[in-house]
């Protein structure tokens, strides 16, 4: 329209000038012909003008219909940033606190600069001149269900651009593509309003650079006081502005500097320039007076100087056209209106009453027609040019930016912990630990076979996903035909694993479940391979360490217990044929006839001398009788237990651990504490861990290339650890025994100020996986995962998410985040699991009655 009117005026100008020159030079044009020419030209102009007006009206109708009917596809992102609360003392002593605050907000301004730098959609792009522009973005703050969320919405075709800009300036933020939210409820009452500035858009609002605190905090504070079914939302629809606004600001400043008053300079618009042009024509037709009146010099006031300065500051930044909508939903309209009014009042902090612009506070509640359109525009995120006004990037950053770490407003949806990208050299072979999801790029996290020999350590609170991770790894190993042992103190892990074992591996499964009292499997705690005499010493030392851990013998036993217990075990093990189980230890101590029979068959002179020259001769049976109850009291809870006796009372174990390792069998150890008792579970677990290490060390008779990998999974491994775990971590790698251990907190690895197990873990483990942990552990672990993750991240990491320090080609990679695999791999077969359990019971178990008869016969042998 402006272009056409300019064209018409230029025609008028040149027509008039041509007519004037003709009259001066020729003086032949009569009044009649002049009137005819002017009338013809006028009729022509009116016709063209009528066609143009009709065209503009048609376009306007089409534009309104298009804006109110067409929906453009958007990508909705939930923007979350971590809350890292600064130390209060540091905050108080920081003299640059305000400056730091402004620097944080300025990061958001760069996002709006990126939008303002986009070229505004031209008339030929997607028929935008007819149906309106579609290159607008939406920045939204939504309080719903008591949480305050920050959203970013972009058109599908340019959403990637905005995503990249946010991630560039907020690398620690999580920008998650989500389904569109809904703040409306069927019984809720909804009110809506829009905001505009009152004065010309060249005048600025007050920005964060003129404030001593974060202005956004006042807005979100209002939004934090909602009830369960109440909602409040602010929507900023923005798009890059056409460059003409810079020219207007320049004209105003130039006009004031040339002597005009600010109020006059503001009127220098398009219509004003037309009138000024016509006025110049009239003055040109009249003779000028001989003496011109000299205009008085217009001196600027201090206020006008300040205003011009602010106008120039606003003009120095990119501009964006903006729609601001506010929507409130509550149980009744009065409450919804109250929320709306409170939020609108909070926007008054941006008003620059003296030197700049202010927000209009007119709210139309009574007009339901307007309310419906406002709510509909909010839902479809429509940009309405009639309701738009111009803001620069600094003003927009003051109105919307991600919450700052100093913000103490409750209920903000923070990013609980940071995410980090996996290294580019992730292995493409090995079992899958999980997946790394970073900026919508998904990578599978795998670990190589060679790197697993340096062991894997998992730590995290209860219920965060440790068992899921162990189950996933064990199931993959089983599917790959590997040898596996899983020790589970709860039973749930075993259930998940056994239900997903492939049918072709059913014969390889050995289920050791002490709670199965009908057909128990045997585990002789004192059994050893006679081909390796050194195993006898290993077994005895391991038993001493186990009882020391169970009963704290350093405090309650002392050297007497160890001396008598060691020699009793040596004597019982000297003749396996007459019985060498835990059941025989009390008989060696308390039954002289049984002890005499054992001594006659013992070939170890040191053991014989102890019993004959020290234990019996020094004090006699009476003195020995005083020691016996003290020692046997530590054994009674096991040998008199109806569950444990059939297991530990059998002379020959049901399975050979060396054979299991070499032939790649599957040993599942269900030590459910609720079924067999905590003490029994600890004893059996520690014995098994020790025997597995002993079997691994016995592989020294095999060439290194023939030692197949065997994977030992221990959940809550602190319950089953003695010094043997230190040996596994430091030495078992050479014998291809690969340990995967999980527990809850570091304090479980330290007992009586003995931190040897903790030191062994920290010094030897190759791959680390840390789930959510406590604050004390986070202080320690933060050193291992710095500088990528800090203490706050380790405390607040989400469920089923872990931070990983992966060993890649024997080199520790930079830490990254990982989500565990769910659902678990493999098909779940409950019916097949029952058949596998039955098969294992029949192959390796024995009827309880037979076992009890054998124990009784052996007890009465002497």
């Amino acid at each position: 329209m402006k272009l056409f009117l300019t064209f018409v005026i230029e025609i008028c100008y040149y027509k008039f000038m041509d007519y004037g020159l003709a009259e001066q030079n020729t003086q032949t044009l009569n009044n009649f012909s002049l009137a005819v020419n002017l009338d013809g030209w006028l009729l022509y102009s009116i016709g063209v003008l009528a066609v143009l007006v009709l065209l503009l009206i048609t376009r306007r109708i089409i534009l309104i219909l298009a804006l109110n009917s067409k929906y453009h596809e958007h990508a909705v992102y939930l923007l979350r940033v971590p809350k890292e609360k600064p130390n209060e003392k540091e905050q108080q002593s920081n003299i640059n606190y305000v400056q730091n605050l402004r620097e944080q907000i300025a990061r958001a301004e760069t996002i709006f600069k990126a939008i303002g730098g986009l070229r505004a959609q031209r008339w030929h792009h997607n028929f935008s001149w007819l149906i309106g522009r579609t290159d607008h973005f939406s920045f939204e703050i939504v309080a719903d269900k008591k949480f305050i969320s920050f959203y970013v919405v972009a058109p599908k075709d340019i959403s990637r651009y905005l995503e990249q800009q946010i991630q560039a300036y907020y690398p620690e933020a999580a920008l998650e593509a989500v389904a569109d939210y809904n703040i409306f409820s069927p019984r809720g009452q909804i009110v809506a309003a829009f905001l505009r500035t009152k004065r010309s858009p060249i005048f600025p609002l007050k920005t964060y650079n003129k404030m001593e605190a974060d202005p956004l905090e006042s807005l979100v504070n209002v939004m934090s006081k909602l009830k369960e079914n109440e909602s409040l939302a602010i929507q900023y629809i923005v798009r890059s502005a056409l460059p003409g606004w810079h020219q207007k600001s320049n004209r105003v400043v130039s006009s004031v500097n040339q002597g005009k008053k600010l109020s006059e300079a503001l009127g220098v618009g398009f219509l004003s320039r037309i009138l000024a042009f016509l006025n110049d024509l009239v003055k040109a037709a009249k003779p000028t007076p001989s003496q011109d009146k000299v205009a008085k010099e217009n001196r600027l006031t201090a206020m006008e100087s300040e205003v011009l300065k602010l106008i120039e500051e606003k003009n120095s930044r990119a501009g964006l056209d903006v729609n601001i909508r506010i929507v409130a939903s509550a149980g009744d309209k009065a409450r919804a209106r109250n929320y709306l009014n409170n939020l609108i009042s909070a926007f008054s902090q941006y008003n620059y009453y003296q030197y700049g612009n202010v927000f209009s506070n007119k709210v139309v509640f009574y007009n339901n027609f307007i309310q419906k359109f406002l709510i509909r525009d909010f839902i479809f995120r429509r940009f309405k040019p009639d309701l738009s006004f111009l803001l620069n990037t600094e003003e927009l950053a003051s109105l919307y930016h991600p919450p700052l770490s100093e913000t103490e407003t409750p209920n903000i949806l923070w990013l609980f912990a940071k995410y980090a990208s996996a290294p580019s050299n992730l292995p493409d072979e090995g079992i899958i630990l999980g997946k790394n999801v970073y900026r919508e790029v998904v990578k599978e996290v795998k670990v190589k076979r060679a790197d697993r020999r340096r062991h894997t350590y998992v730590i995290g609170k209860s219920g965060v996903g440790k068992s899921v991770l162990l189950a996933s790894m064990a199931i993959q190993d089983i599917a790959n035909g590997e040898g596996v042992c899983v020790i589970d103190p709860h039973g749930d892990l075993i259930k998940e694993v056994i239900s997903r074992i492939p049918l072709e591996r059913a014969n390889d499964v050995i289920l050791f479940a002490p709670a199965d009292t009908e057909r128990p499997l045997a585990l002789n705690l004192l059994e050893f391979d006679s081909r390796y005499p050194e195993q006898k010493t290993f077994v005895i030392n391991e038993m001493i360490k186990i009882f020391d851990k169970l009963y704290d013998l350093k405090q309650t036993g002392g050297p007497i217990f160890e001396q008598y217990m060691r020699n009793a075990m040596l004597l019982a093990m000297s003749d396996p044929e007459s019985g060498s189980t835990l059941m025989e230890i009390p008989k060696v101590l308390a039954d002289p006839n049984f002890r005499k029979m054992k001594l006659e068959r013992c070939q170890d002179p040191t053991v014989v001398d102890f019993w004959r020259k020290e234990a019996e001769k020094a004090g006699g049976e009476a003195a020995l009788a005083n020691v016996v109850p003290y020692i046997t009291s530590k054994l009674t809870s096991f040998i008199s237990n109806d569950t444990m006796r059939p297991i530990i009372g059998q002379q020959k174990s049901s399975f050979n651990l060396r054979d299991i390792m070499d032939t790649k069998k599957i040993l599942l150890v269900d030590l459910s504490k609720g079924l067999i008792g905590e003490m029994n579970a600890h004893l059996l677990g520690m014995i098994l861990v020790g025997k597995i290490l002993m079997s691994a060390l016995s592989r020294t008779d095999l060439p290194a290339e023939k030692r197949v990998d065997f994977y030992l999974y221990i959940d809550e491994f602190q319950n089953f650890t003695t010094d043997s775990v230190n040996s596994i971590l430091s030495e078992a790698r050479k014998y291809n025994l690969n340990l995967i251990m999980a527990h809850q907190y570091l304090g479980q690895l330290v007992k009586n100020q003995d931190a040897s197990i903790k030191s062994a873990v920290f010094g030897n483990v190759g791959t680390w996986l840390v789930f959510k942990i406590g604050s004390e552990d986070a202080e320690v672990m933060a050193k291992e995962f710095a500088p990528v993750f800090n203490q706050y991240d380790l405390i607040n990491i989400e469920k089923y998410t872990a931070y990983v320090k992966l060993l890649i080609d024997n080199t520790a990679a930079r830490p990254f985040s990982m989500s565990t695999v769910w659902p678990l791999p493999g098909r779940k077969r409950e019916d097949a699991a029952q058949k596998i359990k039955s098969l294992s019971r029949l192959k390796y178990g024995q009827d309880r009655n037979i076992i009890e008869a054998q124990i009784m016969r052996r007890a009465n042998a002497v």
Side-chain angles (χ1 to χ4, degrees):
M1 184 67 180
K2 289 182 179 180
L3 183 63
F4 175 75
L5 289 176
T6 303
F7 175 72
V8 171
I9 290 168
E10 287 178 354
I11 292 176
C12 295
Y13 175 76
Y14 288 116
K15 288 279 186 180
F16 182 83
M17 292 300 294
D18 288 344
Y19 167 69
L21 289 173
E23 184 179 27
Q24 290 178 14
N25 295 332
T26 63
Q27 300 293 327
T28 59
L29 194 62
N30 56 48
N31 292 333
F32 177 77
S33 60
L34 175 61
V36 171
N37 289 338
L38 288 174
D39 289 344
W41 173 84
L42 191 59
L43 289 172
Y44 172 76
S45 299
I46 291 172
V48 172
L49 187 61
V51 172
L52 181 61
V53 169
L54 182 62
L55 180 62
L56 291 176
I57 292 173
T58 304
R59 174 185 173 275
R60 181 67 175 171
I61 294 171
I62 295 173
L63 181 61
I64 292 172
L65 292 174
L67 286 175
N68 291 325
S69 61
K70 190 172 182 181
Y71 173 73
H72 300 284
E73 289 291 331
H74 292 93
V76 182
Y77 296 96
L78 174 63
L79 176 61
R80 293 183 296 161
V81 293
K83 179 171 175 56
E84 300 173 10
K85 185 176 180 180
N87 185 286
E88 293 182 1
K89 293 182 179 179
E90 292 179 2
Q91 181 174 334
Q92 292 172 0
S93 63
N94 188 358
I95 58 176
N96 295 321
Y97 171 71
V98 175
Q99 181 61 31
N100 292 336
L101 200 72
R102 291 172 180 172
E103 288 175 0
Q104 290 186 63
I105 300 175
R107 287 204 293 169
E109 188 176 348
T110 58
I111 308 301
F112 294 113
K113 283 180 182 178
I115 297 174
L118 291 172
R119 187 179 182 185
Q121 211 169 64
R122 294 307 194 257
W123 64 272
H124 59 275
H125 184 86
N126 291 338
F127 299 99
S128 62
W129 65 275
L130 185 61
I131 61 174
R133 288 170 57 182
T134 59
D135 57 341
H136 55 267
F137 303 83
S138 182
F139 296 85
E140 301 168 9
I141 308 173
V142 180
D144 186 36
K145 297 179 178 61
K146 292 191 175 182
F147 284 102
I148 301 174
S149 306
F150 287 71
Y151 290 92
V152 177
V153 185
K156 281 279 189 182
D157 54 341
I158 51 177
S159 60
R160 186 61 181 161
Y161 172 78
L162 182 62
E163 185 181 349
Q164 290 170 341
Q165 294 300 318
I166 293 175
Q167 289 168 345
Y169 295 104
Y170 287 90
E172 76 282 4
L175 197 62
E176 180 184 0
V178 296
D180 207 349
Y181 60 86
N182 179 16
I183 64 170
F184 306 111
S185 60
R187 297 182 180 180
Q189 297 295 316
I190 309 164
V191 292
F194 66 90
L195 288 180
R196 293 186 63 180
T197 51
K198 285 185 177 181
R199 303 184 69 184
S200 170
I202 68 169
F203 289 101
L205 293 168
K206 187 179 289 187
T207 65
Y208 65 89
N209 279 320
K210 308 294 182 182
M211 301 181 186
E212 300 299 317
D214 180 10
L216 193 65
E217 197 159 351
S218 297
L219 299 181
V220 294
N221 268 329
V222 176
M223 305 176 78
S224 67
K225 307 181 187 303
L226 305 181
K227 293 185 177 180
E228 182 69 32
N229 296 320
E230 296 175 338
S231 305
L232 196 55
I234 309 172
Q235 185 182 80
Y236 304 96
I237 307 289
V238 304
R239 69 183 187 187
S240 58
L242 295 170
W245 78 279
H246 289 291
Q247 299 172 10
K248 180 176 181 179
S249 297
N250 291 333
R251 282 197 303 269
V252 170
V253 174
S254 177
S255 298
V256 173
N257 288 331
Q258 290 174 8
K260 288 187 178 182
K261 292 184 179 181
L262 182 59
S263 58
E264 295 175 353
L266 288 171
V268 185
F270 177 75
L271 183 59
S272 300
R273 293 203 303 274
I274 295 176
L275 295 176
F277 167 72
L278 296 176
N279 186 45
D280 291 340
L281 291 182
V282 173
K283 288 181 178 180
K286 295 180 180 179
T288 57
S290 57
Q291 294 181 351
D292 294 333
K293 295 181 180 180
V294 181
K296 294 182 180 179
E297 183 180 0
N298 180 32
R299 293 183 179 180
L300 296 179
T301 65
M303 178 178 173
E304 288 178 325
S305 298
E306 182 65 23
V307 170
L308 287 183
K309 179 183 175 182
L310 293 174
I311 291 174
E312 288 179 319
E313 286 181 1
K314 178 170 183 175
N315 195 34
S316 65
R317 288 175 165 82
L320 299 99
D321 295 326
V322 183
N323 283 174
I324 300 180
R325 299 187 185 97
I326 304 173
V327 175
S329 175
D332 58 86
K333 279 206 172 182
R335 193 171 183 83
R337 290 174 183 175
N338 186 45
Y339 287 139
L340 196 67
N341 283 325
N342 290 342
L343 191 53
I344 291 173
S345 298
F347 276 89
S348 62
Q349 65 181 318
Y350 299 101
N351 292 346
Y352 227 142
Y353 295 102
Q354 190 174 8
Y355 300 119
N357 225 324
V358 295
F359 277 116
S360 173
N361 59 356
K362 292 180 180 178
V363 183
V364 183
F365 285 134
Y366 56 85
N367 194 318
N368 290 331
F369 182 77
I370 295 177
Q371 287 283 304
K372 288 180 180 179
F373 269 96
L374 283 174
I375 295 167
R376 191 175 300 173
D377 292 342
F378 169 85
I379 295 171
F380 292 105
R381 298 182 175 91
R382 293 168 178 155
F383 187 93
K384 290 299 184 71
D386 295 341
L387 303 180
S388 70
F389 59 101
L390 188 136
L391 295 176
N392 72 358
T393 55
E394 184 180 328
E395 293 168 317
L396 268 171
S398 305
L399 291 166
Y400 181 96
H401 57 262
L404 307 183
S405 58
E406 291 82 0
T407 302
E408 297 298 336
T409 304
N411 303 327
I412 291 178
L413 193 61
W414 297 98
L415 176 64
F416 296 114
K418 290 197 290 285
Y419 296 91
S421 175
S424 57
N425 62 332
L426 271 182
D428 54 2
E429 61 180 277
I431 68 166
I432 300 172
L433 298 179
K435 57 184 179 181
N436 172 251
V437 182
Y438 186 71
R439 297 183 179 178
E440 297 187 350
V441 177
V442 181
K443 297 179 182 178
E444 282 190 339
V445 180
K446 297 181 179 180
V447 57
K448 292 182 178 179
R449 178 187 294 271
D451 293 323
R452 295 185 68 186
R453 292 172 185 156
R454 289 288 303 275
H455 314 297
T456 304
Y457 174 62
V458 184
I459 184 172
K461 291 184 175 182
S462 177
V464 295
K466 302 188 302 297
S467 297
V468 172
L469 174 64
L470 296 185
S472 173
M473 295 174 68
I475 291 166
Q476 292 179 73
D477 282 333
I478 291 170
N480 293 336
E482 305 287 356
V484 172
C485 174
V486 180
I487 300 178
D488 179 17
H490 305 298
D492 295 334
L493 176 58
I494 296 295
K495 290 178 182 177
E496 291 291 349
V497 172
I498 201 169
S499 64
R500 289 175 170 82
I501 292 177
L503 296 178
E504 59 270 18
R505 298 215 63 188
N507 282 320
D508 294 336
V509 177
I510 304 169
L511 177 61
F512 179 51
D516 182 7
T517 57
E518 293 182 4
R519 290 188 67 87
L521 274 67
L523 179 64
N524 184 1
L525 308 187
L526 304 182
E527 188 177 30
F528 68 98
D529 193 335
S530 58
R531 295 176 299 171
Y532 306 99
E534 68 278 4
Q535 286 191 5
K536 181 190 290 188
T537 304
F538 183 93
V539 168
I540 292 173
N541 290 336
E542 195 69 14
M543 287 300 301
I544 296 294
K545 292 173 185 176
I546 289 170
F547 280 102
D548 183 22
K549 183 168 182 178
L550 292 175
Y551 296 107
D552 196 7
L553 297 180
K554 291 182 176 63
Q555 299 294 327
T556 62
I560 296 297
F561 176 90
E562 181 177 346
Q563 185 183 31
Y564 276 84
M565 185 67 176
R566 182 182 297 275
N567 282 280
M569 287 189 289
L570 284 169
L571 185 57
M573 295 167 69
S574 63
D575 181 37
E577 292 182 2
S578 59
S580 60
T581 70
L582 209 62
M583 303 290 295
E584 276 68 47
I585 302 300
K587 291 186 66 177
V588 167
L589 293 167
D591 189 341
N593 295 327
F594 183 79
R595 185 168 61 248
K596 181 180 178 182
M597 181 267 292
K598 281 283 189 182
L599 285 171
E600 290 174 353
R601 301 180 183 183
C602 180
Q603 302 299 318
D604 189 340
T606 306
V607 176
V608 173
D609 286 348
F610 170 80
W611 287 107
R612 288 179 175 171
K613 296 179 181 181
E614 186 173 346
E616 295 177 353
K617 218 169 194 181
E621 290 296 331
L624 189 59
N626 292 330
V627 178
V628 170
Y630 175 70
I631 299 175
T632 57
S633 63
K634 307 294 189 294
L635 307 176
T636 302
S637 58
F638 302 113
I639 62 178
S640 63
N641 187 296
D642 290 339
T643 301
M644 292 291 289
R645 186 174 60 253
I647 298 172
I648 64 175
Q650 298 185 61
Q651 182 61 37
K652 184 172 179 60
S653 297
S654 299
F655 48 87
N656 183 290
L657 287 166
R658 171 67 187 270
D659 179 66
I660 289 174
M661 296 175 70
D662 291 345
T663 58
K664 297 186 177 182
K665 285 189 168 55
I666 304 165
L667 176 59
L668 304 179
V669 183
D670 184 358
L671 301 177
S672 181
K673 296 178 184 179
L675 298 176
I676 65 173
E678 186 173 3
M679 189 76 77
N680 296 332
H682 290 176
L683 174 68
L684 293 174
M686 285 187 282
I687 288 293
L688 279 167
V689 171
K691 286 184 175 294
I692 289 172
L693 172 61
M694 186 173 67
S695 300
L697 296 177
S698 71
R699 284 177 155 189
T700 188
D701 60 354
L702 285 177
E705 62 275 7
K706 292 187 178 181
R707 299 169 189 165
V708 297
D709 288 294
F710 188 78
Y711 299 96
L712 173 59
Y713 292 85
I714 312 178
D715 196 8
E716 304 296 346
F717 87 103
Q718 79 283 349
N719 295 323
F720 315 117
T721 56
T722 60
D723 292 343
S724 60
V725 172
N726 300 359
S727 301
I728 293 176
L729 290 170
S730 58
E731 299 178 28
R733 175 181 60 86
K734 303 170 187 176
Y735 304 102
N736 291 39
L737 174 59
N738 311 322
L739 182 60
I740 302 95
M741 50 191 170
H743 72 123
Q744 296 181 14
Y745 57 94
L746 293 176
Q748 295 170 322
L749 306 184
V750 180
K751 187 175 182 181
N752 297 327
Q753 298 182 344
D754 180 9
S756 59
I757 294 176
K758 177 182 174 183
S759 300
V761 170
F762 276 64
N764 292 287
V765 166
T767 296
W768 300 59
L769 294 104
V770 177
F771 290 84
K772 185 176 183 178
I773 55 179
S775 57
E776 291 184 5
D777 293 346
E779 291 182 14
V780 178
M781 287 296 180
K783 299 174 184 177
E784 298 289 337
F785 286 81
V788 181
F789 303 112
N790 57 29
Q791 182 179 343
Y792 181 88
D793 298 320
L794 295 168
I795 295 171
N796 294 283
I797 188 170
E798 295 178 347
K799 190 177 182 180
Y800 301 125
T801 303
Y803 291 143
V804 184
K805 195 175 177 183
L806 185 67
L807 196 69
I808 303 176
D809 296 328
N810 206 31
T811 302
R814 184 179 175 87
F816 59 93
S817 55
M818 183 195 78
S819 299
T820 52
V821 176
W822 186 261
L824 291 171
R827 180 185 171 188
K828 191 170 185 178
R829 306 178 182 88
E830 294 290 354
D831 54 340
Q834 286 300 124
K835 293 177 181 178
I836 292 173
K837 290 178 183 179
S838 300
L839 179 61
S840 173
R841 292 175 79 241
L842 292 172
K843 285 179 66 177
Y844 301 99
Q846 193 172 4
D847 186 87
R848 181 187 179 91
N849 295 324
I850 297 175
I851 297 172
E852 293 286 1
Q854 291 175 350
I855 294 173
M856 188 64 65
R857 185 169 55 251
R858 201 168 66 241
N860 298 326
V862 178

